Amino acid sequence: MCRNIRPLNNFEPPATPDEVTAAALQYVRKVSGTTRPSQANQEAFDRAVAEVAHATRHLLADLVTTAPPKNREVEAAKARERARLRYG
């Protein structure tokens, strides 16, 4: 599940709210051990996703780097090449 969480820091343009929420969702799924919570746990699950996303947005806003911003298309091409070499 967590393989879907991608680095979000130091990209141009910056990470979108949807990307942050998707990463938070993957994290909460991994920690909770479920991809779909029961009705009894849905509220707690949704609240956890919102809180993790909130903390992630603050983290990304506060991080400082001297490295130049990464290009999303270049990073995606590198990932595809690594996958091609790994899986053939």
Side-chain angles (χ1 to χ4, degrees):
M1 282 186 277
C2 282
R3 291 184 197 142
N4 294 335
I5 298 177
R6 302 286 180 235
L8 299 176
N9 185 41
N10 198 27
F11 277 99
E12 191 57 47
T16 66
D18 287 342
E19 290 173 315
V20 172
T21 302
L25 176 61
Q26 288 299 319
Y27 175 79
V28 172
R29 284 177 172 172
K30 183 67 169 186
V31 171
S32 68
T34 183
T35 56
R36 297 205 61 172
S38 66
Q39 277 187 309
N41 294 324
Q42 186 68 53
E43 185 180 334
F45 190 90
D46 293 342
R47 187 174 52 250
V49 170
E51 289 174 2
V52 170
H54 180 77
T56 301
R57 285 190 294 275
H58 283 285
L59 172 65
L60 292 174
D62 293 345
L63 289 175
V64 177
T65 181
T66 58
K70 295 178 269 187
N71 182 293
R72 292 178 185 282
E73 289 77 28
V74 171
E75 296 301 317
K78 288 180 190 177
R80 283 191 298 273
E81 181 61 20
R82 285 192 304 270
R84 186 188 67 77
L85 293 173
R86 184 178 306 136
Y87 302 115

